[in-house]
Amino acid sequence: MGVGDALSSKSEMEAALKEKDREGWEYDNYLEGEIKEMVEIYEAKGVSREDARLVITTLAKYKDVFVDLMLKDELGLDVPDEDDNPWVDGMVTFGAFVCFGFIPLVAYIALAPLALDSHVLFLVACVLTAVTLFALGAIKSSVTERSWLMSGSETLSLGGAVAAVSYLIGWAVEGSL
């Protein structure tokens, strides 16, 4: 999971930087066409032609600012920060996967000395997973505009659905062997 996240972030960053280079070339070689394009984009957003032209021609005096603006408004790409490190993102994903992925196993490890039925252990693992999913969603709400109840419920619903589908696939595969 962590490597996949890192490689995905790295590819996204490389694609944005490639587009930034292309937009820089267009700035150097076809500035008036780029200005016209950006004016049209701002007009489509409801800015008058005169105001759009004024804003864009002013910003076009500053190549780095204008290229970043083209990247964002024309292509919908975020300009990567120079200190962005996709491998840090990957390590965070890996760490979260290990920490939160371990929680369902707690039932089997912590309750092993009690020699409980496997169905009881599975039920405890499911409850721990549900509580964890809800808690993750509720925590996520601290960085979003959504209520903790809605965010927790959404994460629980989606995570629960994915877990159920995974379980059913495993059950089907086991039954076919």
Side-chain angles (χ1 to χ4, degrees):
M1 296 290 287
V3 171
D5 184 30
L7 291 174
S8 174
S9 295
K10 183 175 181 278
S11 296
E12 190 176 309
M13 189 167 30
E14 288 170 351
L17 291 173
K18 180 180 175 185
E19 287 300 321
K20 184 176 182 177
D21 288 344
R22 187 181 61 77
E23 290 294 343
W25 181 90
E26 288 178 359
Y27 177 94
D28 292 336
N29 295 286
Y30 191 58
L31 181 58
E32 200 50 48
E34 291 301 302
I35 290 172
K36 182 178 182 244
E37 220 176 334
M38 291 301 291
V39 167
E40 290 170 358
I41 289 170
Y42 277 76
E43 279 184 289
K45 292 181 179 190
V47 178
S48 72
R49 176 177 283 279
E50 298 79 33
D51 287 347
R53 182 101 181 129
L54 174 65
V55 168
I56 295 303
T57 54
T58 301
L59 291 173
K61 295 176 186 177
Y62 309 94
K63 180 179 179 178
D64 290 340
V65 172
F66 192 68
V67 168
D68 287 354
L69 187 68
M70 288 190 295
L71 210 61
K72 183 72 174 163
D73 289 343
E74 183 182 334
L75 302 174
L77 297 174
D78 290 323
V79 181
D81 290 332
E82 290 186 23
D83 61 347
D84 279 354
N85 185 342
W87 297 104
V88 170
D89 295 344
M91 288 304 295
V92 169
T93 299
F94 175 74
F97 185 75
V98 168
C99 289
F100 294 107
F102 181 73
I103 290 174
L105 300 177
V106 168
Y108 294 96
I109 296 167
L111 301 177
L114 300 178
L116 297 172
D117 181 60
S118 63
H119 291 88
V120 171
L121 291 173
F122 181 71
L123 181 62
V124 172
C126 288
V127 169
L128 286 174
T129 301
V131 168
T132 302
L133 287 168
F134 184 86
L136 284 171
I139 292 167
K140 179 181 73 170
S141 74
S142 68
V143 294
T144 64
E145 303 264 331
R146 300 184 72 192
S147 77
W148 65 270
L149 182 60
M150 291 300 294
S151 186
S153 298
E154 177 185 57
T155 304
L156 173 58
S157 298
L158 293 173
V162 169
V165 168
S166 299
Y167 178 81
L168 290 173
I169 290 170
W171 176 74
V173 168
E174 181 184 44
S176 68
L177 296 178

